[in-house]
Structures are given as structure tokens and as C-alpha cells.
Amino acid sequence: MGRSEELFTRAVQHIPGGVNSPVRAFAAVGSTPRFIRKADKQFIWDVEGNRYIDYIGSWGPMILGHNFPAIREAVISAAGSGLSFGAATEKEVEMAELICELVPSVEMVRMVNSGTEAVMSALRAARGYTGRPKIVKFDGCYHGHCDAMLVKAGSGVMTAGVPSSAGVPAGTAEDTLTAAYNDLGSVRALFADNPGQIAAVIVEPVAANMGLVPPAPGFLQGLREITKKEGALLIFDEVITGFRLGLDGAQGFYGVQPDLTTFGKIIGAGMPVGAYGGRRDVMEQIAPVGPVYQAGTLSGNPVAMAAGLAQLRILKGHPEVYARAAARATELFDGLREIIGERGAPCTVNSVGSLGCLFFTPGPVVDAASARRADTDAYGLYFRHMLQNGCYFAPAQFEAIFLSNAHQSEDIERTLEVARAYFTR
Ligand code: PMP
């Protein structure tokens, strides 16, 4: 038995499923998790010493690659001054100023500790501001694990094939209305059926938790128009796309301004961080200024702020990072398109910037219904082949592929060679 298997046998005794987040389990791909010991640049190593080209990047934060020297040094330096004060710090001010400078729709911002918390808090702010109870989300979008968002969710929920999590009260689920991604008609119908009841529409501006599904032309603009007309807020969940599709995220990339935005991942550089922000009049509803309560003992933690600030400052100073990561992504995704085209494989590749997905369905994949047509057993076979040959992709079909500034053309060539071998077997 290998060391990873040994650890997994121990893990399942005391951790549900042996993992602290379901997306880390390898059950959906018919395997057991590799336990990871270290990561550097574009590589991760498991406890057996095997090296993999990493296409997960901690599910998004590692846009500069792992163990980036300036970020590591910022963390070590901040840790030398104490791990947490539970009091205001200069770094929090700098972080808020930087986010508001880089993302024009964000006039005020509050730091939290995860993407889940960011979304949960933004929803409360939207309900507090509008005085309305209901939220519209899209089938296949994942917004973290707060009760209201565990209805027709993407990511691990989609992999598990459950419509809604157990433990979510019926009353909560009733206030969550679901529309189809890329289908403005389904959104209009919900507004027509629930007049004056909908506080907000929340959307992943690029859906990255049902594989990868780009917004159809006009979809985000349409959401902006509908919400404005109906007096509801538009929330962009940019936990994945924020500071990834560019310094101003998907909202800059597509030129659509939401009322509120949620962030995570890249703004923490790998530390547990999230944030939500947006229009001043909405954010002034938050305690201690307004009546919407939201708090956090470790929010704005000095070590986490040091890591996130270092990463955002590097991105601001070196926006060529985006072009470089996207160029490697184009090499990978165009290469995969070529291979599946040559072999006539029933697959399709979606991509935007440094994000993408290889779906095991002929496609097109434009929403959750078309994503669910994917052959997840075939994905499992492909995943195991890639892993055995040193390429570490998400252990589930309905997750994105993440490229970073550290990936090199030779990594992509190697990966395509391994993929070609799979499709020509
Ligand atoms: N929103 C989106 C779009 C996400 O992708 C995720 C996590 N992958 C979350 C929210 C939740 O973030 P966290 O896991 O940090 O709670």
C-alpha cells in the first residue's frame, strides 16, 4: 500500500470521506486522493514523491504559481509581528483601497474568510437593502455552502447529483429561485411570477463550477437590464474570475457593472480570505454603520492580508501575467480541440482566458443541462490516465482547469502528449 493510500485509510476513520472538502475526494473518478506534501511553481508533489503538473492551483488562488517568493516573504514577515489582533490594521485599509481602485464598481468592501462567507453576507446585504426575501441563482452555479445557495448548485453538489443538500430547511430553499444559465427568458419568468419579491440575482459571470461555461453574448448585459428595471440587485460572484480574467475581473472583461461583487481565492493568494463589496449605498447598510449584521473574529487577518496584498500588487505591477497565463491556456485548449477533432472523440472544450474545461460530451455546453450530458465515467478514465502520467486535473468532470503564470509551453506540450496517448489508445 502506498503512503497516500495508508493516509487515506487513516483519514476516513476520523474525517468524513477522508477529506475536508468533498471536491478533494477522488470517488467521482474511481480512485482515492493523492496526499500532497509540497508545491512549487507549476508543480505539486505527493507524499510518495511523485511530481505532477498542477492544473488546479488550489482551485484558483495560485495565479502566479505555487510558493511565489514575494508572497512567501510577505507572509513570513507578517507572521513575525503576530498572527491576529482582532483589531483594525493598516493592511486592511490598503487592501480595501486597492480593491476599490482596481474594480470600479466596488466603492466599499468588507473582508471575510472564505468565498462562502462573502456570498452569504452579500445576499444578506441585498435582502437588507431591498427589504425583499427571494434570490435568483442559476442551475449549475456554485456559490459556496451557505443554506440558500445549496439549491441546484454546481461543483461537488453537481458531482454528487443531488438537487439540493439535506439539512437545508424548506423555507430557505423556497426563497431560492433557479433559472437556466444563458437563458434570460427563464429569469424574466421568475420576476413575472414573483413581483416585488426578488432581492437579487446572483451569477458566476463565467460559470466555472459546472466545468466551464462562458456567458453567451448579451447574457450579462440582459441580467443588468432586467435587475435594474425590477429594482433588484445584480451580484457577480467573482470568487473564481476576480483578478483572474484581468485586474477588474469578469465585469471588466465583459463590460458589465454589478451592484455587488464577491471575491475569494486570488485576493488571499492561498490564505483563507474572501470579500464582498459594491455600491456605497448598499454597503452602508452593513454594521456598524447600518442594520445588516455581519462580523468575523479573524476577518482581515494580518497574515492573510499580507499574502493577498502582495499578490494583488504583483498583478497590478505585472498585468502581462494575464496574457501569459491565457497564452498557455490557448496552447492547452487549442491542442485538446485538435486532438479530439483528429480522433473524432465525443468531447468539447470550453475556455475563457486562463480557465477552461474538457467535457466528455459532444456539446455545445451552454448550461447545466448540457453539462450534465457529459459521460462522467469516461472523464474518470481520462483523469486516471492523466494523473498516472504526471498531470493533475480536477478529480471531477464539473470543475474548471486553472492555468497560471508559472506554466511553461513545455508543460503544455507534455500534457498534450499524454492526452494524445489517451485518445489514441
Ligand atoms: N463562489 C464561487 C464562484 C466558487 O467557485 C466558490 C468555491 N470554489 C465559492 C463561491 C465558495 O468559496 P469557498 O470555498 O472559499 O467558501
Side-chain angles (χ1 to χ4, degrees), residues 96-108 236 238 242-243 246-252 256-258 260-261 263 267 277-278 312:
E97 286 171 349
L98 187 56
I99 293 174
C100 293
E101 175 198 328
L102 295 175
V103 188
S105 74
V106 178
E107 295 174 317
M108 300 188 97
F236 275 7
E238 296 231 38
F243 303 99
L247 288 169
D248 49 3
Q251 52 197 271
V256 177
Q257 302 264 297
L260 294 176
T261 304
F263 297 103
I267 58 164
L312 293 187

Side-chain angles (χ1 to χ4, degrees), residues 390-404:
C391 304
Y392 193 91
F393 287 95
Q397 167 74 92
F398 303 119
E399 305 289 351
I401 296 168
F402 296 86
L403 275 292
S404 78

Side-chain angles (χ1 to χ4, degrees), residues 184-400:
L184 290 173
S186 69
V187 180
R188 284 196 197 94
L190 291 175
F191 275 100
D193 290 348
N194 298 273
Q197 293 291 297
I198 297 171
V201 173
I202 184 165
V203 67
E204 288 182 73
V206 174
N209 285 288
M210 46 172 144
L212 195 282
V213 179
F219 176 60
L220 299 175
Q221 285 83 354
L223 293 180
R224 180 65 285 180
E225 281 156 27
I226 296 169
T227 46
K228 199 166 198 171
K229 178 169 149 268
E230 299 284 351
L233 300 185
L234 178 60
I235 307 175
F236 275 7
D237 183 350
E238 296 231 38
V239 165
I240 285 185
T241 53
F243 303 99
R244 173 166 288 277
L245 291 187
L247 288 169
D248 49 3
Q251 52 197 271
F253 197 85
Y254 292 103
V256 177
Q257 302 264 297
D259 301 297
L260 294 176
T261 304
T262 54
F263 297 103
K265 305 196 191 263
I266 286 180
I267 58 164
M271 297 294 288
V273 174
Y276 67 104
R279 271 170 44 188
R280 184 174 300 277
D281 58 339
V282 181
M283 293 304 288
E284 281 181 342
Q285 298 298 307
I286 308 296
V289 190
V292 176
Y293 197 72
Q294 183 273 311
T297 300
L298 298 177
S299 295
N301 171 272
V303 182
M305 291 303 96
L309 264 176
Q311 175 141 286
L312 293 187
R313 284 177 177 149
I314 292 163
L315 291 170
K316 184 184 166 195
H318 298 275
E320 69 274 12
V321 162
Y322 293 113
R324 202 175 308 147
R328 295 296 85 73
T330 303
E331 288 166 14
L332 177 64
F333 298 126
D334 283 356
L336 288 171
R337 286 183 185 106
E338 195 181 301
I339 293 168
I340 61 180
E342 274 167 16
R343 308 308 307 168
C347 293
T348 194
V349 176
N350 282 357
S351 60
V352 177
S354 56
L355 295 167
C357 183
L358 168 61
F359 287 100
F360 280 75
T361 170
V365 179
V366 296
D367 57 12
S370 44
R372 283 194 190 99
R373 283 185 205 120
D375 179 344
T376 52
D377 291 341
Y379 181 83
L381 268 179
Y382 170 78
F383 166 87
R384 296 199 300 272
H385 169 86
M386 298 308 285
L387 190 74
Q388 272 153 21
N389 289 283
C391 304
Y392 193 91
F393 287 95
Q397 167 74 92
F398 303 119
E399 305 289 351

Side-chain angles (χ1 to χ4, degrees), residues 15-100:
I15 306 172
V19 288
N20 279 315
S21 187
V23 298
R24 293 175 203 169
F26 280 33
V29 287
S31 189
T32 53
R34 296 294 178 278
F35 281 67
I36 303 304
R37 197 179 55 209
K38 67 168 186 175
D40 194 55
K41 302 187 178 70
Q42 69 273 46
F43 301 117
I44 54 171
W45 284 260
D46 67 17
V47 287
E48 276 114 352
N50 299 307
R51 190 186 82 169
Y52 305 90
I53 304 169
D54 178 23
Y55 289 104
I56 298 181
S58 189
W59 305 96
M62 312 323 271
I63 191 159
L64 297 173
H66 292 283
N67 199 16
F68 196 83
I71 296 172
R72 184 179 64 233
E73 278 151 30
V75 166
I76 292 168
S77 161
S81 300
L83 296 184
S84 179
F85 317 126
T89 62
E90 186 170 351
K91 284 200 188 79
E92 293 166 84
V93 184
E94 290 173 356
M95 178 61 111
E97 286 171 349
L98 187 56
I99 293 174
C100 293

